[in-house]
Amino acid sequence: MTAQTPTTAALQSAKVAVLGYGSQGRAHALNLKDSGLDVVVGVRRNGPSWDKARADGLKVAEPADAVKDADLIAVLTPDMVQPALYTDAIAPNAKPGAALLFAHGFNVHFKQIAPRADIDVVLVAPKGPGALVRREYEKGHGVPCLYAIHQDASGKARDKVLAYAAGIGGARAMLIETNFGEETETDLFGEQAVLCGGATKLVLAGYETLVEAGYQPEIAYYEVLHELKLIVDLLHEGGLAKMHQFISETAQYGDLTRGPRVVDGDTKARMRKILDEIQDGRFAQEWVAEYQAGNGNYRALKNADLAHPIEAVGAGLRARMPWLNPTPALAAVPTSSDAPLKRTA
């Protein structure tokens, strides 16, 4: 952690190019602008992101033009787009001594991008989605960030990366120093083994177990998916201690005696194998090859996931809970009746 709270001083006279205007790109660009920095957004001319960034009051340019004369270039596009973006727009146009900043170390760590030796290469990774990064900044707060220095060509990389982190609000919360390898490998492991892969497959297995045993799909959905948020919120707010404080003793006893039978030593051993595949580059090679081949297997797996019966059951139930989706465009497909659900078997 940093000893003193960093400021944006090192970038106050700098030009910052933010490439990409998705969730993180928009939040970073707006926060940096509101922190008094000179920001230009690099996106495809006349595309939806171009119009959105202009409507938000930001300067826009084609990526190659945004990079020219930039003192710091933040690459906030999807991972698989970044190598071509670097080759086409960044490498030919970045000036010596400029800083190239990533929010995830995947492409540098797994050598999909080999940055020029005459530029700084740094990382700032907020531990939250872009909407949260923006919202907390507007409140005068911030989201904790990881930061790393991979290459210090200018001798000023640390000043630049800390100034950027301060500009998006991270220094208001907490900055933790890491390296590209640690950030990349732990991020991928968390997604695959716990947050996305582990959690969703656990939910589906629990749903199938209850439905196959003859219980109503709607009740199974509530017990293994809907109520998961209640537990996650408790863990998020106060760790295991808060969860135990707010669940019943019956739930606590079931947790402590049955949980180890679901996630046991064999589960941990399989997690270790997943981590091994991340560390030795096998996952990265597989994902890059899949993307370059057209994503056929990826799309098939995703479509199968979305075709699971829990999705249709969930859409109907969420339509009865409008508070879950207050934005009409995001609301689930409504059911044909508002009558109470009745057990049919």
Side-chain angles (χ1 to χ4, degrees):
M1 300 181 190
T2 56
Q4 297 181 343
T5 302
T7 69
T8 61
L11 293 177
Q12 278 299 326
S13 60
K15 174 185 173 183
V16 178
V18 174
L19 305 186
Y21 204 64
S23 173
Q24 290 290 345
R26 181 174 187 269
H28 289 217
L30 290 173
N31 289 5
L32 293 168
K33 177 177 178 289
D34 289 348
S35 292
L37 302 186
D38 181 11
V39 179
V40 59
V41 175
V43 289
R44 182 170 53 86
R45 182 177 294 276
N46 296 329
S49 293
W50 178 284
D51 294 336
K52 187 173 183 180
R54 290 187 66 185
D56 286 339
L58 290 157
K59 294 184 292 186
V60 296
E62 291 276 4
D65 292 329
V67 168
K68 292 175 182 176
D69 299 322
D71 298 285
L72 187 147
I73 304 149
V75 184
L76 300 176
T77 58
D79 288 336
M80 293 298 102
V81 175
Q82 291 179 10
L85 179 65
Y86 177 79
T87 300
D88 297 340
I90 300 172
N93 296 295
K95 66 182 183 181
L100 182 61
L101 180 143
F102 296 87
H104 181 40
F106 184 96
N107 282 303
V108 172
H109 180 58
F110 291 119
K111 297 179 171 57
Q112 299 304 301
I113 293 176
R116 281 173 19 199
D118 63 344
I119 59 177
D120 299 335
V121 182
V122 298
L123 175 146
V124 173
K127 303 315 294 176
L132 181 67
V133 173
R134 179 59 178 162
R135 186 166 65 248
E136 288 302 299
Y137 180 94
E138 291 179 309
K139 292 178 180 177
H141 305 149
V143 172
C145 293
L146 306 183
Y147 76 96
I149 301 165
H150 179 75
Q151 186 168 287
D152 186 4
S154 70
K156 300 177 181 178
R158 178 173 293 274
D159 292 338
K160 296 175 188 177
V161 72
L162 292 177
Y164 186 96
I168 65 171
R172 298 172 178 175
M174 178 172 59
L175 302 180
I176 304 175
E177 186 166 13
T178 182
N179 57 60
F180 273 56
E182 183 177 55
E183 185 279 331
T184 301
E185 293 170 4
T186 55
D187 184 78
L188 292 175
F189 177 80
E191 293 168 351
Q192 295 174 21
V194 181
L195 305 177
C196 302
T200 57
K201 293 305 178 282
L202 186 65
V203 165
L204 295 182
Y207 176 87
E208 291 168 0
T209 298
L210 288 175
V211 172
E212 290 166 5
Y215 298 104
Q216 295 179 76
E218 294 82 6
I219 293 177
Y221 174 89
Y222 276 121
E223 295 301 333
V224 303
L225 191 155
H226 179 80
E227 293 188 14
L228 181 63
K229 182 181 185 302
L230 307 178
I231 302 302
V232 170
D233 284 349
L234 292 173
L235 292 170
H236 189 261
E237 294 165 5
L240 296 175
K242 186 165 185 178
M243 184 201 73
H244 282 293
Q245 180 183 356
F246 284 92
I247 64 175
S248 70
E249 288 186 331
T250 302
Q252 292 179 63
Y253 182 75
D255 164 7
L256 298 170
T257 61
R258 268 54 178 181
R261 289 164 57 180
V262 177
V263 178
D264 57 12
D266 289 339
T267 307
K268 188 174 179 181
R270 290 191 294 272
M271 285 184 169
R272 178 67 242 188
K273 290 181 179 179
I274 288 172
L275 182 57
D276 289 342
E277 292 174 2
I278 292 170
Q279 291 174 323
D280 65 19
R282 276 179 288 171
F283 170 77
Q285 293 170 5
E286 178 185 321
W287 172 220
V288 170
E290 172 68 22
Y291 183 83
Q292 293 176 342
N295 279 331
N297 185 54
Y298 161 67
R299 286 196 300 269
L301 291 170
K302 184 175 179 178
N303 288 338
D305 212 32
L306 297 178
H308 192 282
I310 198 171
E311 283 293 278
V313 172
L317 293 176
R318 289 190 297 272
R320 310 289 187 92
M321 298 180 282
W323 60 88
L324 295 178
N325 289 295
T327 303
L330 300 178
V333 177
T335 56
S336 58
S337 170
D338 288 331
L341 293 175
K342 295 182 179 180
R343 186 180 176 94
T344 57

